[in-house]
Amino acid sequence: MSISVLGAGAFGTALAISLAQDGRAVGLWARDPGDMASARENTRRLPGFAFPDSLTVLEKIEDVQTSDIILLAVPMQKLAGFLAENATLFQDKTLVACCKGVDLQSGLGPAEIIQRSCPSATPAILSGPSFAVDIAAGLPTALTLACEDGEALQAALSTKNIRLYRSSDLIGVEIGGALKNVVAIACGIAIGAGLGESARAALMTRGYAEMQRYAALKGANSDTLSGLSGFGDLTLTCSSAKSRNYSFGLALGHGDPLPEGTTVEGRATAKAVSNFAQSANIEMPIAQMVVAVLDKQLTIGQAVESLLSRPLKEE
């Protein structure tokens, strides 16, 4: 099966490299490709990683019509618009969302957006602990691929360094990938503000509880959150400066200027999740405190005090 990756940020580029290193014919499309075709690497987003011979930089997005499988590596908050703009190209294709988050406008995850925008397409989600530089370097990881009847897709997308596990729980997989970014911002804030490793561990644990509550209300399988796309990705994202969301939180905690030009999916997702929690009357205090700090409604000190002063309860 032929494969194309749409979106040449660091992660999309890394996936294309990993897939092509196995000799597959892989297309990589970017809205602004720059010198990728001539340089044979993504000098702006993922420098230092040469493109395998079987990786082709697509000149125009219409070229994806020859592909059976299309990986969508566009930012979450642009996914709905991107699909609406190009829906005719994606009819009857397998669309694999590689973005993580909740759309702020609709409150939907990537699988639901695919289903609404491209009803004839087969939606899938690829998620789990994965940094672009590690994947491009050929370092090993394991990810979750969520899709109904996904055995053929699992075989098509597995590579020498990416081991894929199947799941039929699209909602659970997309929620794990989305909400771990919110917790990562909170953990970055805690470390950046000097609150210590114990505080980070507590935030990860209670953040995981929030993820489970949210997933249950959305109809996900609770076991999914204990897998690679939930607990696995949460562990990685909350403990490494390679994580854009964690680094964003670190800058907030330090009081440093926030990084510009970097996609931080957890910002919009925190707001979308908090809006849903309020309307559904479920407790998600960490997500809500992240929003309050981002919107400058509370200082970090006030947010910590608010979390610590909540009514005592059983775990």
Side-chain angles (χ1 to χ4, degrees):
M1 289 188 281
S2 57
I3 301 170
S4 287
V5 180
L6 302 186
F11 191 63
T13 302
L15 286 174
I17 289 172
S18 181
L19 288 162
Q21 281 173 341
D22 281 0
R24 298 174 177 89
V26 177
L28 177 62
W29 175 85
R31 193 177 294 276
D32 179 12
D35 64 349
M36 285 198 304
S38 58
R40 298 299 297 165
E41 71 173 81
N42 190 339
T43 55
R44 287 187 292 185
R45 299 294 188 184
L46 197 66
F49 295 98
F51 290 173
D53 292 340
S54 59
L55 195 162
T56 301
V57 178
L58 303 179
E59 293 184 2
K60 53 187 184 297
I61 193 170
E62 287 77 12
D63 293 338
V64 305
Q65 288 181 291
T66 62
S67 296
D68 304 300
I69 303 169
I70 299 173
L71 276 64
L72 301 170
V74 299
M76 180 64 212
Q77 300 307 317
K78 296 182 179 180
L79 179 64
F82 179 78
L83 289 175
E85 182 182 350
N86 299 289
T88 57
L89 302 177
F90 303 143
Q91 293 181 19
D92 302 316
K93 303 292 186 183
T94 296
L95 300 181
V96 184
C98 304
C99 47
K100 302 173 181 179
V102 177
D103 182 69
L104 185 55
Q105 293 294 323
S106 65
L108 300 177
E112 295 170 290
I113 290 174
I114 291 172
Q115 289 168 335
R116 286 194 177 188
S117 303
C118 306
S120 69
T122 300
I125 305 287
L126 184 65
S127 191
S130 50
F131 288 143
V133 292
D134 293 345
I135 289 176
L139 299 177
T141 191
L143 305 178
T144 300
L145 176 68
C147 182
E148 293 185 8
D149 301 321
E151 289 188 41
L153 186 61
Q154 180 186 32
L157 297 181
S158 294
T159 73
K160 292 178 180 178
N161 65 311
I162 302 176
R163 177 176 173 83
L164 297 183
Y165 287 84
R166 286 195 317 277
S167 172
S168 59
D169 184 9
L170 279 83
I171 295 175
V173 169
E174 69 181 13
I175 286 173
L179 269 65
K180 59 89 183 178
N181 285 332
V182 179
V183 183
I185 292 175
C187 289
I189 291 173
I191 295 299
L195 303 180
E197 301 283 353
S198 299
R200 172 165 59 183
L203 284 169
M204 288 175 65
T205 306
R206 297 311 304 163
Y208 183 64
E210 290 190 16
M211 291 166 61
Q212 290 178 310
R213 283 198 295 273
Y214 185 91
L217 200 61
K218 287 285 190 176
N221 185 335
S222 60
D223 291 342
T224 302
L225 274 294
S226 64
L228 292 162
S229 60
F231 179 76
D233 210 0
L234 177 73
T235 302
L236 180 70
T237 310
C238 293
S239 58
S240 173
K242 290 181 183 179
S243 162
R244 291 169 296 184
N245 291 276
Y246 178 73
S247 295
F248 176 77
L250 275 176
L252 277 173
H254 281 142
D256 295 336
L258 300 179
E260 296 182 3
T262 301
T263 301
V264 181
E265 298 284 24
R267 298 178 70 174
T269 296
K271 292 185 178 182
V273 166
S274 293
N275 290 341
F276 177 81
Q278 185 173 4
S279 65
N281 196 29
I282 61 170
E283 290 189 337
M284 300 193 70
I286 294 174
Q288 290 161 344
M289 287 305 106
V290 167
V291 172
V293 170
L294 289 175
D295 289 348
K296 297 183 179 179
Q297 297 171 347
L298 295 177
T299 65
I300 292 172
Q302 289 169 334
V304 172
E305 183 179 355
S306 178
L307 288 173
L308 291 176
S309 62
R310 296 179 70 244
L312 300 177
K313 56 188 285 189
E314 285 190 74
E315 188 172 27

